[in-house]
Amino acid sequence: MQLQGITALVTGANRGLGYHLVRALLAAGASKIYAAARNPEQLNDTVALDPERVLPVRLDLTDKAQIAALAQKAEDIQLLVNNAGVLDFGGALETTDEVIDRNMSVNFYGTFDMSRAFAPVIEKNGGGSVVNVLTFLSFVSAPIFSAYNASKAASWSMAMSLRPYLAPKKVSIINAFPTTIDTEMVSGLEKVKDTPADVADDIIKDIINGNEDIFPLGAKNTFQAWRQDQKAVEEQFAKLM
Ligand SMILES: NC(=O)c1ccc[n+]([C@@H]2O[C@H](COP(=O)([O-])OP(=O)(O)OC[C@H]3O[C@@H](n4cnc5c(N)ncnc54)[C@H](OP(=O)(O)O)[C@@H]3O)[C@@H](O)[C@H]2O)c1
């Protein structure tokens, strides 16, 4: 996919991977990027990347009215990057309904609501893509993140249901499945982590190369291992308790 001159929207653009996805999209030649965050005052560093091309917008993924209003306002979008997400620690037996709701409302409903709202906008603009930042845990669970695993698996499943419906409308669904990234989300986890800058650069490179299913950096080895022996990877992840 050609990113030169496109208009994009990135959710959760105030920090972590979202900030670097905006940076990498600018480097790839995007002409306009709506940088979305719950609190637009936290977008100063993101806007400072290129104040001419980066527009701050308010967006809470759990607010359906805000999503609808943004789809009216940002009517020139060709690329939607569903990056925002939440993660709670907790095994399946101790996880509360509240925690499950929180993970589902952002990672599943919020992401799907964005795709539903913006797919017609992208189609109207001649086509483009929806990029979902999922996780390797969408298809191999790490038991300490039970609610997160479930929400990201549901998000992946819905994305795969959308893909064939949107293909004839020239809207492609691109899914990225990173392993661990060195951001606030997993600051409590001691594990080898890729940097958010490198992961963002790898995702954008793969989008340009036309890959629909992206395994950035460390996730490439994990995916190879999973293809060779799914049970072994399941057992390895199961140790994360
Ligand atoms: N870090 C990892 O190891 C890892 C691995 C695989 C996949 N991922 C995925 O990568 C994506 C980015 O995560 P990250 O690592 O950059 O984590 P992060 O630093 O914690 O950033 C999460 C972002 O999501 C935003 N967000 C949370 N709830 C929101 C809501 N209700 N509405 C709008 N925005 C909301 C946050 O905004 P606030 O600042 O307002 O909270 C923040 O901008 C997520 O989808 C995550 O699941 C992360």
Side-chain angles (χ1 to χ4, degrees), residues 10-147:
V10 179
T11 65
N14 54 312
R15 61 187 169 100
L17 184 63
Y19 166 88
H20 285 284
L21 285 166
V22 173
R23 180 195 50 70
L25 280 167
L26 289 169
S31 60
K32 183 173 171 187
I33 302 176
Y34 294 92
R38 286 195 279 198
N39 181 355
E41 280 105 68
Q42 290 177 0
L43 284 163
N44 291 347
D45 289 349
T46 312
V47 173
L49 287 166
D50 189 334
E52 299 277 300
R53 290 190 285 163
V54 181
L55 270 78
V57 290
R58 183 185 299 278
L59 178 68
D60 184 329
L61 286 188
T62 63
D63 186 333
K64 289 177 193 291
Q66 263 186 31
I67 292 177
L70 188 57
Q72 297 271 317
K73 176 181 168 180
E75 55 182 11
D76 48 355
I77 297 292
Q78 296 152 296
L79 179 77
L80 165 66
V81 184
N82 283 320
N83 164 74
V86 293
L87 172 148
D88 285 288
F89 283 74
L93 294 180
E94 73 253 23
T95 290
T96 61
D97 286 355
E98 241 176 6
V99 167
I100 294 171
D101 283 350
R102 190 172 110 87
N103 283 262
M104 290 299 285
S105 67
V106 179
N107 300 340
F108 175 69
Y109 286 110
T111 298
F112 180 51
D113 287 343
M114 285 297 287
S115 302
R116 273 199 290 208
F118 279 94
V121 175
I122 297 170
E123 181 188 1
K124 202 181 86 217
N125 291 326
S129 298
V130 173
V131 179
N132 299 303
V133 180
L134 300 169
T135 160
F136 208 88
L137 305 180
S138 299
F139 52 101
V140 184
S141 287
I144 47 166
F145 304 128
S146 58

